[in-house]
Amino acid sequence: MKFFDRIRELRSRRFFLALAVLGPGLIAGNAGNDAGGIATYSIIGAREGYGLLWALILNVVALAVIQEMAARMGVVTGKGFSDLVREQFGLKVTLSVMALFIFANLTVTIAEFAGIAASMELFGVSRYLSLPGAALLIWFAVVKGSFKQVERSLMVISLIYLTYVVSGVMANPPWGEVVRQIALPSVRLDRGYILLFITMVGTTITPYMQFYLQSAVVDKGVRIEEYRYVKWDVYAGAFMTGFIAFFIIIATGTLLHPAGVNVDSAEQAAIALRPLAGQFASHLFALGLLNASFLAALVLPLATAYGLSEAFGWESGINRTFREAPQFLGLYTAFIVIGAGVIMIPGAPLITIMFISQTVNGILLPAVLIIMLKLVNDRSIMGEHVNTKWMNIVTWTTSIVIIALTVLLLVMSVMG
Amino acid sequence: MPFFAGDIFISEVLNKPVLDQTGDEIGRLKDIVVGPGEPFPSVLTLLAVSGRETYVLPWDRINIFNRRVISVAAYLKDLKPAAAQATDILLSRDFLDKQIVDINGAKLVRVNDLKLGEVKGKLCLVAADMGLRGILRRLGLEARGEKFLSLFRYKLPHKLVGWNFVQTVEPKLTRLTLTVSRQKVSKLHPADLAEIMSEISQKERRALFSSLDVDTASEALHELEPRVQYEIINEMTTIKASELLESMPPDEAADILGNLPEERAQQLIKLMEKEEAEDVQELMEHEEDTAGGLMTNEFLAFPPDMTVEEAIKELRLAAPDVETIYYLYVIDESEQLKGVLSLKNLILARPEKRLEEIMKAPAKTVALDAEEKDVAEFISKYNYLAAPVVDENNVMHGIVTVDDVLAYLLPTASQKKRRRL
């Protein structure tokens, strides 16, 4: 019967519907390797060699657990993170979380524009040309509505980071030593080491990515029966991030650490790609950095504007006019203008800015995590899908460790 | 009768001390319980909390209720701690900070504050505040905020929406106010309704959708993106779903059935009325993005020798069941398309004329397998409201209306992804 053949044919498309729920996890994971991420991992490898690899591995486990929580909340409640915070914690908590959210995201956005400036300078383009150009391009890419395609192509280009894996292997690191340092780390409690640690947590587990991930999952309208696909998507994303970060640290740890290079410029960071690309190392590095920064500079202002509109019930959507959605478009535009503007202040130290932004995120992360834990363990919201015991152990440990380290860092800074 | 003056915002009374007759503090005002009322929910009891104890204070025992003093005609020592019932509707817990539908503005908003006022001698929930003013008031900064903003010559607007123009989306609350909500939501245009539905969670959507009447539901369903349609139909009982599909134009029903699992689609089609089911099945045989897939097979067709007078009479009978009545197609007994005339041609013609005398022939047509883009170009080129679809033998199969291709050219927000993240 012709009619049911037709249905069968349509049904074969269902397979693609299952594929359609994939993506948010991979994107959210990958965004950990943005401008700030590359700078941070490069600095960690250069300063500490393989000394923080053990922490990276633990970090990636925590990332996987936390992102899984965000995705699960999205699927079960059908609401974004800001929605839930507002509905469950009321106005005052929402206001404080949102203030932190704006501040953290703004620093990261500035860092992304720093990444754009630094990479274009490696190509010999002045930041006074590249930044206004990039800001306009980003603004139009989103407002003109071709955001989805831009995002997808940038995701594909970000595969360029796999060159770090090749480069790391070609650098011929002493694998025995790498394994020894992972298994038997020599932990220090000095200021530099703790700062690097917090910054690494902040760059791997970005607060804004949890917002993004949850909204993206809600957006896809994933049903609970399809949740297992999302879970693997999230885990795969976390693994990819960790895998690339691991080899950035291996490459910089092998090539820069013994030479005592401190990485305060993009040229120095690019040395890590020399075994693979030789004299083209800096161009390859610049291309990857440009791509990552551009992607994040595109997503961040948008994610912030959406998050806030959700919390306060403002009209949102990029196809609205300024008149219809003044707060949404105003915020979005302000983020891009400030992000690009700060970097155009003469003499702004680009790599340092990227690094600091990750530190701020590391400090703010516990606040987001504690709220997340309260929500995800609330049976009236999550029903049977609350956290298991071991998930709570991993996340509480992560939060407590970060809080303890932050306090320690503050105390040490005050004591000098 | 308690004494209350003027309008009170809930943010102004929450956490205020509640006193007994002698002026002793019973506790702090924690929440206010309301009962269903028409059109405004009225206050039933106040909940005061002191330490771990909750006191339920009936409204008729309240002496004074204003933003400075709340007092009860009772003595603290006579009161016994109690708890609110699970089914009670609590203003602060259930409405504050939640999303509601503003029926007039046809959009989803967040409740920043709630306004209480007197209606027929009772204190009722009269409006929701969804503006910045409400946020500032909650923070106790209304006056200062107003002053500060006036420095920038910005006048802080009052953004209130009357509770009679509000629809809750929380499933628990929708069930409690079902009769009222049905009327309220049906006032919304289906397209606006669909956009709101695409913005709320699955559970809320299910609740809101089940409160609609069949006509509104079927129109709203058509506007939603395929994934959401699938989800809604999949969760309905088979009988309800088939009723819904029956009341839709066959081309829209076919689109939705095409996205359902085979078994479910078979079930639904079997339950539909025979005639409707045949129409739908016929349409499902065509590729989705061709003229055949886009068209509907409900159109007006008359024989060439019919007179204008008869045609107008027939038109009146047939019109309720078809989507487009602006074109009348003239077909012979073998269903071949002979010509077309517009409603205007028909009305202006002399009653005794036969249709073949006044029709435009040959009619411009599109082929069954014409692509979506070509159909859109055809309609745009000839400025038609609908294009007749014919096969290789010039047999007419259906019409593609302008709104079908318009959705292709400019999809509405609810048909696209909610966000572009």
Side-chain angles (χ1 to χ4, degrees), chain B residues 245-272:
Chain B
L245 289 170
E246 251 172 49
S247 73
M248 299 180 87
D251 55 332
E252 287 164 18
D255 286 348
I256 291 174
L257 282 167
N259 284 327
L260 290 178
E262 186 175 338
E263 244 173 80
R264 180 82 174 158
Q266 284 192 34
Q267 264 180 356
L268 291 175
I269 287 186
K270 272 184 203 143
L271 278 173
M272 285 169 73

PDB file of all heavy atoms in Angstrom, chain B residues 245-272:
ATOM      1  N   LEU B 245      -7.372  16.089  14.541  1.00  0.00           N
ATOM      2  CA  LEU B 245      -6.894  16.000  13.161  1.00  0.00           C
ATOM      3  C   LEU B 245      -8.044  16.182  12.181  1.00  0.00           C
ATOM      4  O   LEU B 245      -7.894  16.800  11.134  1.00  0.00           O
ATOM      5  CB  LEU B 245      -6.207  14.659  12.924  1.00  0.00           C
ATOM      6  CG  LEU B 245      -4.856  14.506  13.619  1.00  0.00           C
ATOM      7  CD1 LEU B 245      -4.380  13.070  13.533  1.00  0.00           C
ATOM      8  CD2 LEU B 245      -3.827  15.451  13.011  1.00  0.00           C
ATOM      9  N   GLU B 246      -9.219  15.636  12.530  1.00  0.00           N
ATOM     10  CA  GLU B 246     -10.387  15.776  11.670  1.00  0.00           C
ATOM     11  C   GLU B 246     -10.752  17.236  11.458  1.00  0.00           C
ATOM     12  O   GLU B 246     -11.154  17.640  10.383  1.00  0.00           O
ATOM     13  CB  GLU B 246     -11.575  15.086  12.328  1.00  0.00           C
ATOM     14  CG  GLU B 246     -11.994  13.824  11.657  1.00  0.00           C
ATOM     15  CD  GLU B 246     -13.043  13.124  12.490  1.00  0.00           C
ATOM     16  OE1 GLU B 246     -14.017  13.779  12.898  1.00  0.00           O
ATOM     17  OE2 GLU B 246     -12.863  11.921  12.748  1.00  0.00           O
ATOM     18  N   SER B 247     -10.610  18.022  12.522  1.00  0.00           N
ATOM     19  CA  SER B 247     -11.053  19.413  12.418  1.00  0.00           C
ATOM     20  C   SER B 247     -10.016  20.289  11.728  1.00  0.00           C
ATOM     21  O   SER B 247     -10.257  21.467  11.502  1.00  0.00           O
ATOM     22  CB  SER B 247     -11.371  19.968  13.807  1.00  0.00           C
ATOM     23  OG  SER B 247     -10.183  20.193  14.501  1.00  0.00           O
ATOM     24  N   MET B 248      -8.876  19.713  11.385  1.00  0.00           N
ATOM     25  CA  MET B 248      -7.866  20.505  10.678  1.00  0.00           C
ATOM     26  C   MET B 248      -8.057  20.367   9.175  1.00  0.00           C
ATOM     27  O   MET B 248      -8.601  19.363   8.716  1.00  0.00           O
ATOM     28  CB  MET B 248      -6.463  20.007  11.022  1.00  0.00           C
ATOM     29  CG  MET B 248      -6.106  20.109  12.466  1.00  0.00           C
ATOM     30  SD  MET B 248      -4.431  19.504  12.755  1.00  0.00           S
ATOM     31  CE  MET B 248      -3.510  20.972  12.453  1.00  0.00           C
ATOM     32  N   PRO B 249      -7.576  21.347   8.392  1.00  0.00           N
ATOM     33  CA  PRO B 249      -7.567  21.156   6.948  1.00  0.00           C
ATOM     34  C   PRO B 249      -6.706  19.926   6.635  1.00  0.00           C
ATOM     35  O   PRO B 249      -5.699  19.700   7.304  1.00  0.00           O
ATOM     36  CB  PRO B 249      -6.881  22.418   6.420  1.00  0.00           C
ATOM     37  CG  PRO B 249      -7.004  23.417   7.512  1.00  0.00           C
ATOM     38  CD  PRO B 249      -7.034  22.640   8.790  1.00  0.00           C
ATOM     39  N   PRO B 250      -7.116  19.123   5.625  1.00  0.00           N
ATOM     40  CA  PRO B 250      -6.426  17.852   5.392  1.00  0.00           C
ATOM     41  C   PRO B 250      -4.919  17.998   5.130  1.00  0.00           C
ATOM     42  O   PRO B 250      -4.158  17.120   5.493  1.00  0.00           O
ATOM     43  CB  PRO B 250      -7.136  17.268   4.172  1.00  0.00           C
ATOM     44  CG  PRO B 250      -8.089  18.287   3.702  1.00  0.00           C
ATOM     45  CD  PRO B 250      -8.276  19.298   4.761  1.00  0.00           C
ATOM     46  N   ASP B 251      -4.503  19.095   4.501  1.00  0.00           N
ATOM     47  CA  ASP B 251      -3.071  19.196   4.208  1.00  0.00           C
ATOM     48  C   ASP B 251      -2.259  19.348   5.496  1.00  0.00           C
ATOM     49  O   ASP B 251      -1.165  18.805   5.630  1.00  0.00           O
ATOM     50  CB  ASP B 251      -2.765  20.332   3.223  1.00  0.00           C
ATOM     51  CG  ASP B 251      -3.297  21.674   3.663  1.00  0.00           C
ATOM     52  OD1 ASP B 251      -4.306  21.709   4.402  1.00  0.00           O
ATOM     53  OD2 ASP B 251      -2.720  22.703   3.276  1.00  0.00           O
ATOM     54  N   GLU B 252      -2.836  20.064   6.465  1.00  0.00           N
ATOM     55  CA  GLU B 252      -2.130  20.243   7.732  1.00  0.00           C
ATOM     56  C   GLU B 252      -2.123  18.938   8.532  1.00  0.00           C
ATOM     57  O   GLU B 252      -1.121  18.566   9.134  1.00  0.00           O
ATOM     58  CB  GLU B 252      -2.776  21.364   8.534  1.00  0.00           C
ATOM     59  CG  GLU B 252      -2.464  22.730   7.920  1.00  0.00           C
ATOM     60  CD  GLU B 252      -3.383  23.820   8.424  1.00  0.00           C
ATOM     61  OE1 GLU B 252      -4.019  23.623   9.468  1.00  0.00           O
ATOM     62  OE2 GLU B 252      -3.458  24.865   7.749  1.00  0.00           O
ATOM     63  N   ALA B 253      -3.276  18.242   8.490  1.00  0.00           N
ATOM     64  CA  ALA B 253      -3.350  16.961   9.188  1.00  0.00           C
ATOM     65  C   ALA B 253      -2.336  15.978   8.601  1.00  0.00           C
ATOM     66  O   ALA B 253      -1.671  15.236   9.324  1.00  0.00           O
ATOM     67  CB  ALA B 253      -4.760  16.395   9.091  1.00  0.00           C
ATOM     68  N   ALA B 254      -2.207  15.997   7.271  1.00  0.00           N
ATOM     69  CA  ALA B 254      -1.269  15.085   6.605  1.00  0.00           C
ATOM     70  C   ALA B 254       0.171  15.379   7.036  1.00  0.00           C
ATOM     71  O   ALA B 254       0.955  14.470   7.283  1.00  0.00           O
ATOM     72  CB  ALA B 254      -1.411  15.212   5.093  1.00  0.00           C
ATOM     73  N   ASP B 255       0.510  16.650   7.140  1.00  0.00           N
ATOM     74  CA  ASP B 255       1.869  17.030   7.571  1.00  0.00           C
ATOM     75  C   ASP B 255       2.163  16.456   8.946  1.00  0.00           C
ATOM     76  O   ASP B 255       3.246  15.930   9.204  1.00  0.00           O
ATOM     77  CB  ASP B 255       2.000  18.559   7.655  1.00  0.00           C
ATOM     78  CG  ASP B 255       2.065  19.177   6.270  1.00  0.00           C
ATOM     79  OD1 ASP B 255       2.235  18.413   5.301  1.00  0.00           O
ATOM     80  OD2 ASP B 255       1.928  20.411   6.173  1.00  0.00           O
ATOM     81  N   ILE B 256       1.189  16.585   9.845  1.00  0.00           N
ATOM     82  CA  ILE B 256       1.410  16.133  11.215  1.00  0.00           C
ATOM     83  C   ILE B 256       1.500  14.614  11.270  1.00  0.00           C
ATOM     84  O   ILE B 256       2.410  14.053  11.880  1.00  0.00           O
ATOM     85  CB  ILE B 256       0.286  16.660  12.140  1.00  0.00           C
ATOM     86  CG1 ILE B 256       0.438  18.170  12.279  1.00  0.00           C
ATOM     87  CG2 ILE B 256       0.331  15.980  13.494  1.00  0.00           C
ATOM     88  CD1 ILE B 256      -0.668  18.839  13.046  1.00  0.00           C
ATOM     89  N   LEU B 257       0.585  13.935  10.572  1.00  0.00           N
ATOM     90  CA  LEU B 257       0.611  12.467  10.574  1.00  0.00           C
ATOM     91  C   LEU B 257       1.921  11.933  10.004  1.00  0.00           C
ATOM     92  O   LEU B 257       2.433  10.921  10.453  1.00  0.00           O
ATOM     93  CB  LEU B 257      -0.569  11.925   9.767  1.00  0.00           C
ATOM     94  CG  LEU B 257      -1.899  11.954  10.496  1.00  0.00           C
ATOM     95  CD1 LEU B 257      -3.039  11.700   9.525  1.00  0.00           C
ATOM     96  CD2 LEU B 257      -1.919  10.904  11.599  1.00  0.00           C
ATOM     97  N   GLY B 258       2.438  12.639   9.027  1.00  0.00           N
ATOM     98  CA  GLY B 258       3.684  12.216   8.398  1.00  0.00           C
ATOM     99  C   GLY B 258       4.848  12.185   9.363  1.00  0.00           C
ATOM    100  O   GLY B 258       5.828  11.480   9.158  1.00  0.00           O
ATOM    101  N   ASN B 259       4.753  12.957  10.423  1.00  0.00           N
ATOM    102  CA  ASN B 259       5.852  13.014  11.386  1.00  0.00           C
ATOM    103  C   ASN B 259       5.664  12.056  12.561  1.00  0.00           C
ATOM    104  O   ASN B 259       6.503  11.984  13.436  1.00  0.00           O
ATOM    105  CB  ASN B 259       5.992  14.434  11.938  1.00  0.00           C
ATOM    106  CG  ASN B 259       6.646  15.344  10.929  1.00  0.00           C
ATOM    107  OD1 ASN B 259       7.489  14.911  10.159  1.00  0.00           O
ATOM    108  ND2 ASN B 259       6.236  16.600  10.917  1.00  0.00           N
ATOM    109  N   LEU B 260       4.524  11.361  12.583  1.00  0.00           N
ATOM    110  CA  LEU B 260       4.258  10.460  13.713  1.00  0.00           C
ATOM    111  C   LEU B 260       4.792   9.055  13.426  1.00  0.00           C
ATOM    112  O   LEU B 260       4.976   8.688  12.267  1.00  0.00           O
ATOM    113  CB  LEU B 260       2.751  10.370  13.969  1.00  0.00           C
ATOM    114  CG  LEU B 260       2.055  11.605  14.529  1.00  0.00           C
ATOM    115  CD1 LEU B 260       0.567  11.323  14.659  1.00  0.00           C
ATOM    116  CD2 LEU B 260       2.632  12.001  15.860  1.00  0.00           C
ATOM    117  N   PRO B 261       5.005   8.254  14.473  1.00  0.00           N
ATOM    118  CA  PRO B 261       5.386   6.859  14.239  1.00  0.00           C
ATOM    119  C   PRO B 261       4.280   6.149  13.470  1.00  0.00           C
ATOM    120  O   PRO B 261       3.095   6.476  13.636  1.00  0.00           O
ATOM    121  CB  PRO B 261       5.504   6.275  15.652  1.00  0.00           C
ATOM    122  CG  PRO B 261       5.612   7.434  16.567  1.00  0.00           C
ATOM    123  CD  PRO B 261       4.939   8.579  15.907  1.00  0.00           C
ATOM    124  N   GLU B 262       4.663   5.165  12.665  1.00  0.00           N
ATOM    125  CA  GLU B 262       3.732   4.492  11.746  1.00  0.00           C
ATOM    126  C   GLU B 262       2.484   3.971  12.459  1.00  0.00           C
ATOM    127  O   GLU B 262       1.358   4.236  12.048  1.00  0.00           O
ATOM    128  CB  GLU B 262       4.472   3.348  11.074  1.00  0.00           C
ATOM    129  CG  GLU B 262       3.654   2.669  10.005  1.00  0.00           C
ATOM    130  CD  GLU B 262       4.471   1.622   9.269  1.00  0.00           C
ATOM    131  OE1 GLU B 262       5.711   1.719   9.300  1.00  0.00           O
ATOM    132  OE2 GLU B 262       3.870   0.710   8.699  1.00  0.00           O
ATOM    133  N   GLU B 263       2.712   3.237  13.554  1.00  0.00           N
ATOM    134  CA  GLU B 263       1.605   2.622  14.253  1.00  0.00           C
ATOM    135  C   GLU B 263       0.566   3.651  14.701  1.00  0.00           C
ATOM    136  O   GLU B 263      -0.630   3.484  14.504  1.00  0.00           O
ATOM    137  CB  GLU B 263       2.130   1.922  15.509  1.00  0.00           C
ATOM    138  CG  GLU B 263       1.961   0.424  15.521  1.00  0.00           C
ATOM    139  CD  GLU B 263       2.669  -0.147  16.728  1.00  0.00           C
ATOM    140  OE1 GLU B 263       2.082  -0.088  17.820  1.00  0.00           O
ATOM    141  OE2 GLU B 263       3.829  -0.584  16.585  1.00  0.00           O
ATOM    142  N   ARG B 264       1.104   4.707  15.307  1.00  0.00           N
ATOM    143  CA  ARG B 264       0.251   5.766  15.827  1.00  0.00           C
ATOM    144  C   ARG B 264      -0.542   6.426  14.702  1.00  0.00           C
ATOM    145  O   ARG B 264      -1.744   6.662  14.826  1.00  0.00           O
ATOM    146  CB  ARG B 264       1.148   6.793  16.529  1.00  0.00           C
ATOM    147  CG  ARG B 264       0.433   7.955  17.128  1.00  0.00           C
ATOM    148  CD  ARG B 264      -0.133   7.631  18.476  1.00  0.00           C
ATOM    149  NE  ARG B 264      -0.697   8.822  19.089  1.00  0.00           N
ATOM    150  CZ  ARG B 264      -1.603   8.789  20.044  1.00  0.00           C
ATOM    151  NH1 ARG B 264      -2.023   7.636  20.500  1.00  0.00           N
ATOM    152  NH2 ARG B 264      -2.066   9.900  20.559  1.00  0.00           N
ATOM    153  N   ALA B 265       0.114   6.677  13.573  1.00  0.00           N
ATOM    154  CA  ALA B 265      -0.553   7.312  12.440  1.00  0.00           C
ATOM    155  C   ALA B 265      -1.674   6.414  11.921  1.00  0.00           C
ATOM    156  O   ALA B 265      -2.779   6.884  11.627  1.00  0.00           O
ATOM    157  CB  ALA B 265       0.460   7.608  11.346  1.00  0.00           C
ATOM    158  N   GLN B 266      -1.406   5.103  11.830  1.00  0.00           N
ATOM    159  CA  GLN B 266      -2.438   4.158  11.364  1.00  0.00           C
ATOM    160  C   GLN B 266      -3.655   4.197  12.270  1.00  0.00           C
ATOM    161  O   GLN B 266      -4.787   4.291  11.812  1.00  0.00           O
ATOM    162  CB  GLN B 266      -1.878   2.736  11.368  1.00  0.00           C
ATOM    163  CG  GLN B 266      -0.941   2.461  10.225  1.00  0.00           C
ATOM    164  CD  GLN B 266      -0.656   0.972  10.114  1.00  0.00           C
ATOM    165  OE1 GLN B 266      -1.506   0.149  10.393  1.00  0.00           O
ATOM    166  NE2 GLN B 266       0.554   0.643   9.709  1.00  0.00           N
ATOM    167  N   GLN B 267      -3.379   4.107  13.571  1.00  0.00           N
ATOM    168  CA  GLN B 267      -4.449   4.154  14.572  1.00  0.00           C
ATOM    169  C   GLN B 267      -5.331   5.377  14.376  1.00  0.00           C
ATOM    170  O   GLN B 267      -6.559   5.291  14.344  1.00  0.00           O
ATOM    171  CB  GLN B 267      -3.842   4.290  15.962  1.00  0.00           C
ATOM    172  CG  GLN B 267      -3.659   3.020  16.720  1.00  0.00           C
ATOM    173  CD  GLN B 267      -3.051   3.319  18.076  1.00  0.00           C
ATOM    174  OE1 GLN B 267      -2.714   4.464  18.387  1.00  0.00           O
ATOM    175  NE2 GLN B 267      -2.907   2.301  18.889  1.00  0.00           N
ATOM    176  N   LEU B 268      -4.671   6.530  14.263  1.00  0.00           N
ATOM    177  CA  LEU B 268      -5.404   7.792  14.193  1.00  0.00           C
ATOM    178  C   LEU B 268      -6.246   7.870  12.930  1.00  0.00           C
ATOM    179  O   LEU B 268      -7.385   8.319  12.963  1.00  0.00           O
ATOM    180  CB  LEU B 268      -4.438   8.970  14.273  1.00  0.00           C
ATOM    181  CG  LEU B 268      -3.759   9.162  15.619  1.00  0.00           C
ATOM    182  CD1 LEU B 268      -2.736  10.271  15.571  1.00  0.00           C
ATOM    183  CD2 LEU B 268      -4.806   9.480  16.686  1.00  0.00           C
ATOM    184  N   ILE B 269      -5.664   7.435  11.822  1.00  0.00           N
ATOM    185  CA  ILE B 269      -6.393   7.520  10.558  1.00  0.00           C
ATOM    186  C   ILE B 269      -7.624   6.622  10.600  1.00  0.00           C
ATOM    187  O   ILE B 269      -8.695   6.974  10.109  1.00  0.00           O
ATOM    188  CB  ILE B 269      -5.471   7.157   9.381  1.00  0.00           C
ATOM    189  CG1 ILE B 269      -4.504   8.311   9.178  1.00  0.00           C
ATOM    190  CG2 ILE B 269      -6.254   6.874   8.122  1.00  0.00           C
ATOM    191  CD1 ILE B 269      -3.629   8.200   7.988  1.00  0.00           C
ATOM    192  N   LYS B 270      -7.489   5.448  11.203  1.00  0.00           N
ATOM    193  CA  LYS B 270      -8.626   4.525  11.299  1.00  0.00           C
ATOM    194  C   LYS B 270      -9.782   5.164  12.068  1.00  0.00           C
ATOM    195  O   LYS B 270     -10.940   4.913  11.787  1.00  0.00           O
ATOM    196  CB  LYS B 270      -8.193   3.236  11.985  1.00  0.00           C
ATOM    197  CG  LYS B 270      -7.642   2.221  10.989  1.00  0.00           C
ATOM    198  CD  LYS B 270      -7.315   0.903  11.667  1.00  0.00           C
ATOM    199  CE  LYS B 270      -6.299   0.140  10.850  1.00  0.00           C
ATOM    200  NZ  LYS B 270      -5.347  -0.575  11.698  1.00  0.00           N
ATOM    201  N   LEU B 271      -9.441   5.957  13.061  1.00  0.00           N
ATOM    202  CA  LEU B 271     -10.485   6.566  13.888  1.00  0.00           C
ATOM    203  C   LEU B 271     -11.135   7.786  13.244  1.00  0.00           C
ATOM    204  O   LEU B 271     -12.191   8.227  13.667  1.00  0.00           O
ATOM    205  CB  LEU B 271      -9.898   6.974  15.238  1.00  0.00           C
ATOM    206  CG  LEU B 271      -9.784   5.859  16.268  1.00  0.00           C
ATOM    207  CD1 LEU B 271      -9.037   6.358  17.474  1.00  0.00           C
ATOM    208  CD2 LEU B 271     -11.159   5.340  16.652  1.00  0.00           C
ATOM    209  N   MET B 272     -10.474   8.331  12.230  1.00  0.00           N
ATOM    210  CA  MET B 272     -11.036   9.541  11.614  1.00  0.00           C
ATOM    211  C   MET B 272     -12.223   9.177  10.727  1.00  0.00           C
ATOM    212  O   MET B 272     -12.336   8.051  10.265  1.00  0.00           O
ATOM    213  CB  MET B 272      -9.972  10.248  10.761  1.00  0.00           C
ATOM    214  CG  MET B 272      -8.956  10.992  11.591  1.00  0.00           C
ATOM    215  SD  MET B 272      -7.554  11.547  10.621  1.00  0.00           S
ATOM    216  CE  MET B 272      -8.283  12.868   9.693  1.00  0.00           C
TER     217      MET B 272
END
